[in-house]
Structure formats: structure tokens, C-alpha cells
Amino acid sequence: MRWRPEAGRLVTVMAVCFGLTVVITRLYLMASGYPKIGGSTYHIAHALFGGLLLVIAALVALLSSARHALTVTAVLAGIGLGLFIDEVGKFITTDNNYFFPLAAPIIYLAFLCIVAVALFADRRRIRPPLLALGEVTVAVGQLTGTRMRPEERATLLAELNALDSSGFGPDERELCDALTSYLNTVHADTRPALLVQRERRLERLERTLLPLPALRIGLIVVLLGHAVWTVVHLVLAVFIISGRHMPDASLDHLLDVSQHHGWKSLAGLAIAAAAEVLVGIGCAAAAALWLRGREEIAVRLGIWSSVISLTVVNVLASYFSQFLTVFTALAEALLLWLLIRYRARAAAGPHR
């Protein structure tokens, strides 16, 4: 299978659009009282709009060879898939139950699978020289007639220079020489692209608002708070499984409190509780190690604790409380991103 060089980025865009679409759709429907489109006779489900966007995404990918066509395809596919799978509860139940508890774990697992594909696609692979030459040729063709930035040209030249041409035939050698000659002579636009300008501005804003010492203190506090939250989460799990009701009716709706959970649900909750305990211990240990100066181990432990929470605890917890899990997952994803950003900035130097 030939992987696109930008496959990881494209699938990541799709995953982000997919996740945001599901969250925004569910929050909007909950806030608006679950309105219906179509009157008393018809019900136009938003899964239909999702299918329409998936068709449009396929047409864009098939018809357009523009430089940003694949990015547009990834955005449309992510939104379309999010709208479609949001109604999975109706597809797996005989009574078309949108609120079926198993729907939330299915949606969450689908999102995690796409994220896993994005991470796998983003890995650097050892490519045969002929395949690498073909990818460079395609990339040069897409950049022809557009603003080629110096870093793009430098990357392509580096890939050409790194090719092992010992197995090339005369045609491949001639193509390689022609591409090298073209890249060395083509005019590169030294003006920063719009996305590059925005990225630099965001980096400057990040350094201003979140200097490394302040970010370090904030992450330690958040890790300690996460450890405390695991205790609260376990208490909420007891409320859910026991069928007790919260003092406020809106909290009952948020937690999806029900007395109709069977032994399989109890087993899932027990696994989630055990994983939650591990996450709490990991976050507390990470904060303690960080305070003792063992920063590298602390950051790594915090990252793995967040990953376990996102991939194990939230999948099982979403069966019992889909809306609470949405907010929890968003907060934990933000924590994971901040930990990864801190590690990258710390490795780049104290001024990053």
C-alpha cells in the first residue's frame, strides 16, 4: 500500500472534525430540546446530511487535483461521518432509540480508531527509492504553478539527495536529475505563507501567555486535580449504578442515572473503576515526581495516565454518562496536548 506523505495530517484533520461534530451536535440537540425537521409526517435525520457530505467529500477527492482538495475532503468527511454516526443508536435498536446507552461507546471507539489510524499513518516508514522518487514527483507536480516556499523546496531537495539511486535505470536517473535541476532553479516565494504566519503568531502568543515555568506549575496543579477528580468520578459511578438521584434534576439528566443496568454493565463499570484508580495513582505520582525534580519521568507518566483515561476509562464510562464523559474527555485531551507541548518546548530550549 502506498501511503501519501501527508496521510497523517489529513486523517488527523478528519478525526478532529469528526469529534467536534459529534460533540457540537449532541450539545446543540440537548440545549434545543431535540427538535425535529420534517413536521408530523417526515423526520429528516441529520444522518442524511452526514451521508450527503460524505458523497461530496468523495466527489472532491475524485474530481479535483488542487493542492488543498484533500484537506477539504478530510474536513467534509469528518463532519459527514460525525453527523452520520451520531445517530448510531437508531441503527442498532428496533425502536430507533437515539439515546441507547451503547451508542456513546460505539461513537467514542470509532473516534479512537480514526485517531489510531492517524498516528499510524504519521509514522515515518522506510520507503523503496523508486516509491520515494514517485512521491517527490507527485509533490513537485502539485506545487507547480503555486507559491513554493523555501522550506518546501529544501525538503524536496533533501529527499532527492537522500535517495539511493544505485538501483535506478536510465529513465529514473534522468527524472531525478530533472527534478533536482528544476527545484534548484525555480523561484521560491520567501514571503511566509498565511498558515506559517498564523503558526508563528500562535507560538509567540503561547510563549507570552504560557511561559514554561507557569505552564509547569499549572500542569502540576492540574495533575493533582485530576487525581482528586478520579475519586469524585468513582463516587458518581456509585450513584449511577445504585440508581440514586442527585438533588438537582438537571444533574440526573447529565449523569443519565438509571436503574436498568445488568451484570454486563456492572462488569464494565468495575473495569472502568479499576482503570480510573490507575489513572488517579498515575496523576498523583506524576505530580509528586515533578515536584521532586524528576520532570522527564513525571511528564511521561502524566501522558500515559491521560492516554489510559481517554482510551479505556472514557469508553466504558460513556455507557453510563455520555454527556459527562464528553466534558471529561475534552478536558483530558487538553491536558494531554499541554503535556506533549510542554515536553516539546522543554526539549527545544528554555526560551520556547
Side-chain angles (χ1 to χ4, degrees):
M1 180 176 179
R2 297 183 61 172
W3 293 83
R4 295 182 181 275
E6 70 277 20
R9 179 185 66 83
L10 292 172
V11 181
T12 300
V13 171
M14 178 182 173
V16 171
C17 293
F18 167 52
L20 288 177
T21 299
V22 172
V23 171
I24 293 173
T25 300
R26 295 236 158 188
L27 292 178
Y28 169 75
L29 291 177
M30 182 178 66
S32 59
Y34 300 95
K36 293 184 177 180
I37 303 175
S40 59
T41 303
Y42 301 101
H43 172 53
I44 303 176
H46 52 269
L48 296 177
F49 296 100
L52 177 61
L53 287 176
L54 288 172
V55 171
I56 295 175
L59 290 175
V60 171
L62 292 172
L63 297 176
S64 177
S65 61
R67 184 178 178 182
H68 300 295
L70 290 177
T71 301
V72 174
T73 297
V75 171
L76 292 176
I79 297 174
L81 182 60
L83 291 174
F84 180 81
I85 203 172
D86 182 63
E87 298 206 272
V88 68
K90 295 183 178 180
F91 305 147
I92 61 175
T93 55
T94 55
D95 57 348
N96 296 327
N97 186 3
Y98 176 78
F99 303 99
F100 189 62
L102 191 58
I106 291 175
I107 295 172
Y108 198 89
L109 280 173
F111 173 74
L112 291 180
C113 287
I114 297 176
V115 171
V117 171
L119 294 174
F120 179 77
D122 200 41
R123 293 171 53 189
R124 298 192 65 86
R125 298 174 177 80
I126 299 177
R127 299 169 297 172
L130 284 175
L131 179 58
L133 177 60
E135 291 178 355
V136 172
T137 305
V138 172
V140 172
Q142 290 179 338
L143 291 171
T144 302
T146 63
R147 290 177 53 188
M148 183 182 295
R149 299 191 297 273
E151 57 269 23
E152 291 175 329
R153 181 173 65 179
T155 300
L156 292 172
L157 283 171
E159 292 188 11
L160 284 173
N161 293 330
L163 291 177
D164 181 12
S165 59
S166 58
F168 286 178
D171 294 337
E172 288 78 15
R173 291 178 185 274
E174 184 177 352
L175 175 60
C176 189
D177 293 339
L179 290 172
T180 303
S181 176
Y182 172 77
L183 291 172
N184 282 323
T185 57
V186 70
H187 172 71
D189 194 338
T190 57
R191 294 176 299 170
L194 182 59
L195 291 178
V196 175
Q197 294 178 6
R198 290 179 179 177
E199 183 178 349
R200 291 174 180 174
R201 290 171 185 167
L202 289 175
E203 288 179 352
R204 288 196 296 267
L205 183 63
E206 181 186 28
R207 290 195 296 269
T208 302
L209 298 179
L210 290 175
L212 278 181
L215 183 57
R216 182 185 304 113
I217 295 174
L219 286 173
I220 293 174
V221 172
V222 171
L223 287 171
L224 289 173
H226 198 341
V228 174
W229 168 246
T230 59
V231 178
V232 177
H233 216 176
L234 291 174
V235 174
L236 292 176
V238 173
F239 265 92
I240 294 171
I241 229 31
S242 64
R244 297 180 183 178
H245 291 275
M246 303 296 287
D248 190 347
S250 61
L251 289 177
D252 268 354
H253 179 67
L254 181 66
L255 296 174
D256 292 340
V257 177
S258 172
Q259 300 183 22
H260 305 291
H261 297 297
W263 69 269
K264 294 180 180 179
S265 302
L266 290 173
L269 187 62
I271 297 173
E276 190 82 43
V277 171
L278 290 177
V279 171
I281 294 174
C283 289
L289 288 170
W290 213 332
L291 289 173
R292 296 182 61 180
R294 305 181 66 179
E295 182 175 283
E296 183 178 351
I297 299 178
V299 173
R300 188 181 307 168
L301 186 57
I303 289 174
W304 277 108
S305 298
S306 299
V307 169
I308 293 174
S309 184
L310 285 168
T311 56
V312 179
V313 176
N314 288 339
V315 172
L316 298 171
S318 62
Y319 181 88
F320 301 93
S321 177
Q322 58 175 307
F323 293 111
L324 182 61
T325 304
V326 167
F327 299 115
T328 303
L330 289 175
E332 289 173 344
L334 178 61
L335 172 60
L336 177 60
W337 179 79
L338 287 174
L339 286 168
I340 294 174
R341 281 296 300 160
Y342 179 89
R343 183 171 64 179
R345 291 175 60 187
H351 300 293
R352 299 295 294 177

